[in-house]
Amino acid sequence: MDASLSGFALLASVFLSLGAADAAWANLVPRKTIPYNELKDVAKRFSKAGVSHYLTLTLGEAERVLYVGAREAVFALATGTMELKAAISWEAPPEKKVECVQKGKNNQTDCFNYVRFLQTYNSSHLYACGTFAFQPKCAYIELSSFSLSRLAFEDGKGKCPYDPAKGHTGLIVDGELYSATLNNFLGTEPVILRNLGPHYSMKTEYLASWLNEPHFVGSAYVQESVGSGDGDDDKVYFFFSERAVEYDCYAEQVVARVARVCKGDVGGARTLQKKWTTFLKARLACFLPEQQLYFNQLQAVYTLAGAGWRDTAFFGLFQARWGDVCVSAVCQYQVEDVRKVFEGPYKEYREEAQKWGRYTDPVPSPRPGACITDWHRHRGMASSLELPDNTLNFAKTHPLMDEPVLPQRARPLLLKKDANFTRLVVDRVRALDGVAYDVLFIGTGDGWLHKALILPSRVHLVEELQVFEPPQPIESLVLARQKKLLFAGSRSQVARLPLADCAKYRSCADCVLARDPYCAWSRNASRCLRADGPDGSLLLQDVVNADTALCNLQPAMPVKITPKNITVAAGTDLVLPCRLTSNLARARWTFNGRDLALEQASVLYDARLQALVILGAGPQHDGAYRCFAEEQGARLAAEGYSVAVVAGAAGPLEVRAPLDNLGLVWMVVVALGAGCLALLLVVLSLRRRLREELEKGSPAVESTLVYPIELPKEPPSPAFVPSAASDSDEKLWDPASYYYSDGSLKIVPGHAACQPGPPAPSPPANGIPGQPLQSPPSPGRLHLAGVRGSSSNGYIRLQLGADERPGYGDLAEELRRKLQQRQALPDSNPEESSV
Ligand SMILES: *[C@@H]1O[C@H](CO)[C@@H](O)[C@H](O)[C@H]1NC(C)=O
Ligand SMILES: *[C@@H]1O[C@H](CO)[C@@H](O)[C@H](O)[C@H]1NC(C)=O
Ligand SMILES: *[C@@H]1O[C@H](CO)[C@@H](O)[C@H](O)[C@H]1NC(C)=O
């Protein structure tokens, strides 16, 4: 099915069937984008000099302590203050590191002790495992002294991977450690092991049909014995991706799996001695149903416990690469659906056909892979040791179920292109409407955190936060529900964030439009506050509809924004930025109190730049401009300008956008190099408009726009050279005629129409009469890299010289472009491709 499509056909299939609505669903836009520096007052951080890789986080003592496993160290932090309470240095000794290097491992990355497992063992001890320079070791940590019991280092084989880069998961249940890992130096022997505690250790059969090059990502303990009518057992679930055995033609294909064992399993008597008799696994399907496109690479799983075990939900975080498009997705599964699949038909390898297929013959009794229940006990089988050989032999050869586990709603909860999701946690929070909503916190490969609200019919991305800078993957996430805190670990540090920062919503409309179930507008305090606060009846919130009528706002509130005064000479091109704090808002402009008619050729709004562009300002442009952020019918004042146009200045002019209010100045973007196509298009179109304007007989005055952005040192690429100028001036190839000494770019429209004269002094600081020019006219150069924001689908990253491609509209659009580049699709629909 999915396997039978090549990457190219996959692209075609997405392209052909993703309608506009679907595409919007497929590439949600976070309402707010909070960059690193705006998190300063909100986030608390911890890091210790010389220590890196904060990979494992565990809460203790009713969320008062956070235990952190890092490279060669373990820390105990106070969650209230993020202060270090105690630290353990747990280095692999030099001789182990030497051995590690001698065995061919990298002394910069591999030959350290990475703490990969850290969990509460009992009330007085933690249990920790580390890779220990490719010779894994485990140890108890005594909490009262916060020290390792050094004499009792235990062999970590099977409990912790040798290789720090390999997937691993484990959990402790009643003093027994369940771990899923790679059991040897080479990483070739996968195992799901139960260790510690009173029993002998139990493991998986070493067969490719059981585990085949797995990448383990998560595990969960579900107490299914609680309230069970038939004396059922508790289960431990494991989540991983592995190489599929069942799709014979596609040896390379990887699939996502869920496997489980029963807690009471003690192995068979003759067959499956000290091996799981209850090991069953099934495909975990996460896919786009219309396109039959599967997400096969499982990245992480979060288990959300409910009131009873049947309410347990698993949230799987997946990645897929279709062609050269990388897509991340989240799918949700109910434990009951997993259980049904394990009770359904098995898959079987058919020797004669050399194929895997559904097993349809009679199944031995007792049912292979089932836990011991009252049914068994009544028949004299009190433990797995008493199971008959035919049941065990069948269990050994039939670990795989025929049916896949399907996600809730039969599709992903959310999708994101190019996001590279790495970890997630989920909170279930009761909003003021009395309904419990799931809120997903998803970490990305470049240090961002997305917060997503799951609504009955759709998903709303509340915000995205840049938790780590420079970009680095979020390696671990834990949720402190009572304290309403979230902890994230990365290579360089641990960060603590509140589940919501309601104070950033400054108005009632902004607070309501946020749809953040943790926040509500207080009529008493006139502030956006935590929704679980005391004066519940006076709080306003509407997470489903975000109806701002709640706030009783006039459509256009009286504005308190002080307009910026700008005086320019006639003929100047003006760029008036209006930064919208919501990516879902649209800019609305008024001119002298009336809605601005953007149809006039000389005034246009550029959504990508988030700016109003006035070409060749004349007296008719003189007046008051206001920008409003319009979202769901509510208008919030965002920016104001008071523009005065002074007539008839002769000579070259330079106009700089008002730079006094930094952060508001979102100026034009120039593309250099192959990577920045979208940016190039913007500039080219702007240039075209400018030229058209001049050809129409607009002021012959030469006007210059200065774009305060950093440029690489190479000369502009040929595609960038303005054609009107290139034939009239040889020196245009000279970088000096393109750049000011400060490195900013000059664009000189209509060069050919210039009157001959002495070369313009540049920059002419006093060139504009009446203009109270900032002196010195510092470009206050914008750092555009890393800026995200959008009023269309997807992100726009205004980033120059980086290898990043611009976020160019939605998934469908990108695919469309790719397909057009590749031309001649075998079965492409011409109507679709001409859209
Ligand atoms: C790792 O090996 C390189 C070259 O063999 C050596 O220069 C470097 O000092 C070593 N680094 C450590 C941390 O041992
Ligand atoms: C916890 O486990 C450790 C290690 O087995 C043991 O020494 C200690 O006595 C246990 N503590 C309690 C309170 O049971
Ligand atoms: C803009 O000009 C007006 C009228 O001249 C003046 O009252 C106001 O203070 C000026 N605003 C700024 C920000 O300079």
Side-chain angles (χ1 to χ4, degrees), residues 184-331:
N184 60 358
F185 183 85
L186 293 174
T188 51
E189 189 190 328
V191 70
I192 293 179
L193 186 74
R194 183 174 65 203
N195 219 311
L196 308 183
H199 301 293
Y200 42 83
S201 68
M202 289 278 300
K203 57 183 180 178
T204 36
E205 191 67 68
Y206 184 42
L207 289 171
S209 58
W210 283 47
L211 294 170
N212 195 21
E213 298 177 31
H215 172 73
F216 295 108
V217 303
S219 47
Y221 172 54
V222 183
Q223 286 181 277
E224 297 182 27
S225 65
V226 175
S228 164
D230 56 0
D232 199 358
D233 198 359
D234 294 343
K235 318 276 194 307
V236 179
Y237 292 88
F238 296 91
F239 300 90
F240 51 99
S241 298
E242 67 170 348
R243 185 181 290 232
V245 288
E246 65 267 35
Y247 306 109
D248 35 15
C249 304
Y250 296 91
E252 296 301 318
Q253 194 180 0
V254 164
V255 295
R257 300 275 198 215
V258 53
R260 75 105 206 267
V261 295
C262 302
K263 188 173 162 234
D265 193 348
V266 289
R270 283 182 301 277
T271 310
L272 290 178
Q273 245 183 45
K274 300 188 182 177
K275 304 276 171 64
W276 300 108
T277 66
T278 55
F279 178 83
L280 293 176
K281 66 176 182 180
R283 182 166 187 185
L284 202 55
C286 183
F287 59 104
L288 300 177
E290 295 84 7
Q291 295 82 15
Q292 286 288 302
L293 283 178
Y294 278 78
F295 293 88
N296 288 326
Q297 199 68 49
L298 189 60
Q299 288 301 118
V301 169
Y302 186 79
T303 304
L304 183 67
W309 70 263
R310 282 190 175 76
D311 306 313
T312 305
F314 305 118
F315 292 82
L317 209 154
F318 294 81
Q319 283 188 9
R321 182 171 279 280
W322 303 324
D324 56 355
V325 181
C326 192
V327 186
S328 288
V330 178
C331 275

Side-chain angles (χ1 to χ4, degrees), residues 611-630:
L612 191 72
V613 179
I614 301 171
L615 297 167
Q620 74 276 22
H621 296 122
D622 206 291
Y625 292 81
R626 284 224 167 120
C627 172
F628 298 87
E630 188 179 80

Side-chain angles (χ1 to χ4, degrees), residues 136 156-163 165-169 179-192 211 213-216:
K157 193 170 151 63
K159 303 175 191 170
C160 181
Y162 288 66
D163 185 340
K166 287 289 192 294
H168 166 76
T169 181
S179 55
T181 199
L182 300 174
N183 205 13
N184 60 358
F185 183 85
L186 293 174
T188 51
E189 189 190 328
V191 70
I192 293 179
L211 294 170
E213 298 177 31
H215 172 73
F216 295 108

Side-chain angles (χ1 to χ4, degrees), residues 47 367 411 572 576 581 593 708:
S47 64
R367 183 180 164 86
R411 66 184 312 133
T572 304
L576 304 179
T581 58

Side-chain angles (χ1 to χ4, degrees), residues 6 8-9 12 16 819 822-830:
S6 71
F8 183 63
L16 289 174
L819 289 165
R822 292 178 196 208
Q823 294 287 324
L825 249 187
D827 48 14
S828 76
N829 178 344

Side-chain angles (χ1 to χ4, degrees), residues 16 25 39-40 99 169 173 188 237 287 295 297 306 316 350 393 395 435 446 504 616 653 708 715 781 787 804 820:
L16 289 174
W25 161 83
L39 276 180
K40 249 193 255 125
E99 273 175 46
T169 181
V173 179
T188 51
Y237 292 88
F287 59 104
F295 293 88
Q297 199 68 49
R350 302 219 187 85
N393 276 321
V435 179
D446 56 357
K504 73 165 153 269
L653 293 175
R781 210 173 288 154
V787 169
E804 191 135 22
Q820 276 165 0

Side-chain angles (χ1 to χ4, degrees), residues 562-565:
T562 345
K564 296 178 176 54
N565 291 339

